[in-house]
Amino acid sequence: MSWFESVAEAQRRAKKRLPGSVYSALIAGSEKGLTLADNLGAFDELRFAPRTAGHYGERELNTQVLGRDVALPVLISPTGVQAVHPDGEVAVARAAAARGTSMGLSSFGSKPIEEVVAANPNTYFQIYWTGTRDDILRRLERARAAGAVGIILTLDWSFSHSRDWGSPHIPERLTFRELLRFAPEGVTHPRWLLDYVRTRRLPDLGVPNMASPGEPSPTFFGAYGQWMQTPPPSWEDVAWLRSQWDGPFLLKGVIRVDEARRAVEAGVSAISVSNHGGNNLDGTPATIRALPAIASAVGSEVEVLLDGGIRRGSDVVKALALGAKAVLIGRAYLWGLAAAGQPGVENVLDVLRNGIDSTLLALGKRSIHDLTRGDVVVPKGFEAKLGVAAEAKAGW
């Protein structure tokens, strides 16, 4: 009963185990949830062109992303405070290492980067453009000293949006008063509460990676407030930050072709086609719709990844066929973490790996590297070619 055969089942178990306010923070998108729904629904519009005979007995799923070997084309996307389980990002990092893939750690994560890198040496540190350049450099130097193999600059979280169904109450600190507020939820979800009782500590709402080593961690909302008061970065700022890091540098949040070109000019190693999982500007098209045009425009110059809506191994295959080098997952592994801790995250990665393998088998492919657009049926009008007119006007 500790094993589950789909990401959907991991989500069902996470919903059963987590207090309502914690679970609702995981599933909701911004405003009406149009982008969140499209991230999922767009994959359903794509179909496959399977083969009948001539299949290969073994398939190759391993690849290289940003110069690092990974056993499957699925990476862990950085997500904020992971109070769904006491071990948080450390459990996720260990699971990713056990399954041979890379870990992305959010600067708003609940575990120090030093602990996460120790759990998975193939860890990328994610940075938001928060505070002054000196503030950002201090976080960058801490990541370098800890042994992070690369940097992820996230720019697809640009606005603060309400949710039409309401947002859960998230306290700045777990005071005695807040504990009383959450007591009914804890009592009705005893297994989640027991996980924390066993550790003899409460869920940590601090963000240690936003502090310099030895300094107290700011609260999530303290760091969020600093982010909201920081002027948004320019492309010159992106190029400057890139110049401060001599290793792999992933820019997360590109959705337009013209901005993919700007990212290449800024010197990034890779881009992730992302809309922050539907938690940014609602009404933005699904990332899988924007992927083909971006991959066609810059895929020969930088690695193109995709983030958003991955729930099955077949979704991964669709993304690879349309030009992605690999994908990043967020909610899927958080549900696994909530359902069963580190083994649950490993379970989710296994589900995706098995789904990729079985899809390759049906398509008659020996390797993920053999996938082409001809392996999927793309309906007319499916693609969202954003920024193409601007690209042409600029002379690219």
Side-chain angles (χ1 to χ4, degrees):
M1 292 300 294
S2 61
W3 179 83
F4 42 84
E5 62 180 11
S6 68
V7 173
E9 176 61 19
Q11 181 180 357
R12 283 190 287 270
R13 296 192 190 185
K15 183 177 182 180
K16 184 176 181 180
R17 188 182 190 97
L18 293 175
S21 58
V22 178
Y23 176 74
S24 63
L26 294 183
I27 62 167
S30 60
E31 295 189 326
K32 193 176 181 180
L34 296 173
T35 297
L36 174 63
D38 197 35
N39 274 353
L40 298 170
F43 278 103
D44 295 340
E45 296 178 28
L46 297 170
R47 298 291 188 266
F48 286 114
R51 298 180 184 275
T52 305
H55 296 166
Y56 295 95
E58 295 182 358
R59 277 74 55 193
E60 177 184 306
L61 274 65
N62 59 295
T63 187
Q64 272 199 348
V65 180
L66 292 168
R68 312 288 295 190
D69 292 329
V70 289
L72 72 167
V74 179
L75 282 64
I76 297 296
S77 187
T79 59
V81 180
Q82 295 178 8
V84 300
H85 191 277
D87 294 335
E89 294 85 356
V90 171
V92 177
R94 289 172 178 157
R99 294 302 182 261
T101 194
S102 302
M103 169 72 184
L105 172 65
S106 173
S107 55
F108 279 69
S110 62
K111 300 296 182 183
I113 185 171
E114 294 80 8
E115 293 183 19
V116 176
V117 171
N120 187 340
N122 199 11
T123 292
Y124 294 82
F125 182 60
Q126 178 264 354
I127 283 182
Y128 286 108
W129 190 264
T130 304
T132 66
R133 283 190 173 188
D134 286 342
D135 294 330
I136 294 169
L137 279 178
R138 281 193 290 272
R139 293 194 289 274
L140 202 69
E141 288 304 317
R142 180 177 177 183
R144 182 179 285 114
V149 298
I151 290 298
I152 301 172
L153 174 62
T154 295
L155 296 184
D156 60 351
W157 188 33
S158 306
F159 302 94
S160 176
H161 284 298
S162 61
R163 292 165 171 166
D164 285 9
W165 45 84
S167 297
H169 172 74
I170 303 175
E172 185 166 4
R173 290 184 176 85
L174 280 178
T175 63
F176 181 71
R177 182 176 181 179
E178 291 294 345
L179 288 174
L180 289 177
R181 177 198 288 266
F182 281 101
E185 289 191 56
V187 170
T188 55
H189 294 81
R191 289 192 297 166
W192 177 81
L193 183 61
L194 185 59
D195 284 340
Y196 280 96
V197 170
R198 287 170 176 161
T199 66
R200 299 182 180 179
R201 52 189 170 87
L202 296 170
D204 189 353
L205 301 181
V207 284
N209 298 307
M210 292 296 288
S212 298
E215 293 183 354
S217 301
T219 64
F220 176 88
F221 285 109
Y224 182 83
Q226 183 188 38
W227 169 76
M228 291 190 69
Q229 295 172 39
T230 302
S234 65
W235 282 108
E236 289 71 24
D237 289 324
V238 174
W240 167 80
L241 185 59
R242 176 65 182 106
S243 71
Q244 305 302 310
W245 185 268
D246 57 4
F249 188 105
L250 169 66
L251 178 62
K252 182 176 179 291
V254 177
I255 199 77
R256 296 169 56 101
V257 172
D258 54 344
E259 293 210 317
R261 292 287 190 190
R262 296 296 297 269
V264 172
E265 291 179 348
V268 306
S269 311
I271 59 176
S272 178
V273 181
S274 176
N275 51 37
H276 214 76
N279 277 294
N280 198 24
L281 179 62
D282 198 27
T284 301
T287 54
I288 191 67
R289 298 189 193 279
L291 171 66
I294 292 174
S296 177
V298 302
S300 62
E301 301 171 78
V302 295
E303 294 181 13
V304 178
L305 284 68
L306 177 130
D307 188 332
I310 299 293
R311 300 291 185 270
R312 300 168 186 83
S314 57
D315 295 338
V316 179
V317 171
K318 290 173 182 177
L320 300 186
L322 293 185
K325 183 70 178 291
V327 304
L328 298 131
I329 60 170
R331 288 181 177 90
Y333 78 77
L334 289 175
W335 291 326
L337 179 65
Q342 178 183 337
V345 180
E346 294 175 6
N347 195 155
V348 164
L349 290 170
D350 289 342
V351 165
L352 295 177
R353 180 182 180 84
N354 293 339
I356 297 169
D357 185 66
S358 62
T359 305
L360 289 180
L361 173 62
L363 292 174
K365 298 294 180 178
R366 186 197 301 271
S367 167
I368 57 172
H369 303 289
D370 298 334
L371 291 165
T372 69
R373 186 184 176 99
D375 293 310
V376 294
V377 180
V378 183
K380 184 178 181 180
F382 174 83
E383 295 184 40
K385 300 179 179 180
L386 308 180
V388 172
E391 178 201 31
K393 186 176 180 180
W396 279 307

